[in-house]
Amino acid sequence: MEFWKKLFGKDHNPNLISHDTPLENIKFVCLDTETSSLDHTQAELLSIGLVTIQNLEIKVESGKELFIKHQDIQLSESIEVHGITLEKCKNGISLNEALSKTEKYIEKSVLVAHNGAFDLAMLNRFNPKMTKSHRLVDTARLAIRLNTSPMDRHNYEKKDYFLDTLLTKYDIQPLERHTALGDAYSTALLFLKLVKIQQLRGATQLRHIM
């Protein structure tokens, strides 16, 4: 099984950071996207938030929020969540420029996101190669792993692993929730808290938090 996985699976990608890499040696990039709806097949990408972690420390100065330019877009419901206005959309950068900047930002990194499947699906929809060479640590899945036994990992309350719930549980002060940069930064704080707990249980390598 492992042989076939390496031969044909994602692990065969030579650009992926090895599971054996010490955690302190990895560049992690926490990311979040804000969109016009929750349907990743139809939604418009409005903003991308990015925060770098190196040597298991947040590089605050690295924080970046990219607003994507839209001239005509419906923001009727989602604006109440993310607060992105039509003016911000009109003053943003082009989608291609935002994707290009993001692709460069996340080079040679392991991605971190909370329920990251949606964010990666959004990015890959516009650039199918965007995240193909990156592993993902999902903080929701990592929290479930820390708080449940292997037998119970499919039997848990989803609401217990919402980002807001976990931030409260671990006494983390969120930064500008529901903005791409704020959520990326809050996810970075949660990630470091979860990694610290896992380190106390013996984690030293990437494989121990995947």
Side-chain angles (χ1 to χ4, degrees):
M1 184 70 174
E2 192 64 22
F3 169 80
W4 294 108
K5 186 177 178 182
K6 288 182 178 179
L7 187 59
F8 295 111
K10 195 172 182 180
D11 281 353
H12 187 59
N13 186 338
N15 296 320
L16 289 173
I17 291 176
S18 168
H19 279 133
D20 298 331
T21 307
L23 294 171
E24 291 82 358
N25 294 351
I26 299 172
K27 170 190 172 186
F28 294 97
V29 171
C30 299
L31 68 84
D32 184 74
T33 61
E34 296 299 329
T35 62
S36 60
S37 79
L38 295 178
D39 180 356
H40 71 81
T41 65
Q42 302 291 329
E44 297 289 348
L45 188 56
L46 303 179
S47 64
I48 304 169
L50 301 160
V51 175
T52 296
I53 294 174
Q54 285 187 313
N55 197 26
L56 295 182
E57 293 180 357
I58 295 174
K59 302 302 177 185
V60 177
E61 71 281 3
S62 74
K64 189 177 292 292
E65 188 164 33
L66 304 170
F67 290 97
I68 290 87
K69 188 171 188 174
H70 294 278
Q71 291 295 344
D72 299 304
I73 190 169
Q74 298 294 325
L75 296 174
S76 55
E77 295 180 0
S78 55
I79 191 172
E80 296 178 5
V81 177
H82 50 62
I84 296 176
T85 62
L86 288 173
E87 185 176 354
K88 283 185 178 178
C89 289
K90 289 178 180 176
N91 292 328
I93 58 178
S94 71
L95 176 61
N96 286 340
E97 185 178 358
L99 294 173
S100 177
K101 287 178 179 289
T102 300
E103 192 169 22
K104 185 172 180 58
Y105 190 102
I106 67 175
E107 279 182 345
K108 298 179 181 178
S109 73
V110 171
L111 303 179
V112 178
H114 197 79
N115 291 323
F118 177 85
D119 302 286
L120 268 57
M122 282 299 301
L123 295 174
N124 289 331
R125 182 177 135 216
F126 297 108
N127 180 353
K129 296 181 180 178
M130 175 69 81
T131 67
K132 297 301 182 187
S133 296
H134 299 273
R135 297 191 191 280
L136 170 69
V137 177
D138 191 305
T139 45
R141 290 177 58 185
L142 180 55
I144 292 168
R145 178 175 170 173
L146 290 175
N147 291 291
T148 60
S149 68
M151 296 294 289
D152 293 329
R153 283 191 188 148
H154 298 288
N155 184 25
Y156 58 87
E157 291 288 339
K158 281 189 175 180
K159 62 182 176 58
D160 292 341
Y161 295 93
F162 291 164
L163 182 55
D164 282 326
T165 307
L166 290 171
L167 293 176
T168 300
K169 176 176 181 173
Y170 291 106
D171 195 25
I172 297 170
Q173 185 65 39
L175 175 70
E176 295 184 355
R177 281 285 285 124
H178 303 302
T179 66
L181 180 58
D183 283 359
Y185 187 80
S186 297
T187 299
L189 293 173
L190 174 62
F191 170 74
L192 290 177
K193 181 79 77 169
L194 297 177
V195 167
K196 185 68 175 177
I197 295 171
Q198 194 70 331
Q199 284 181 309
L200 292 174
R201 298 178 182 180
T204 58
Q205 300 173 342
L206 179 59
R207 68 173 65 254
H208 298 134
I209 61 170
M210 295 294 294

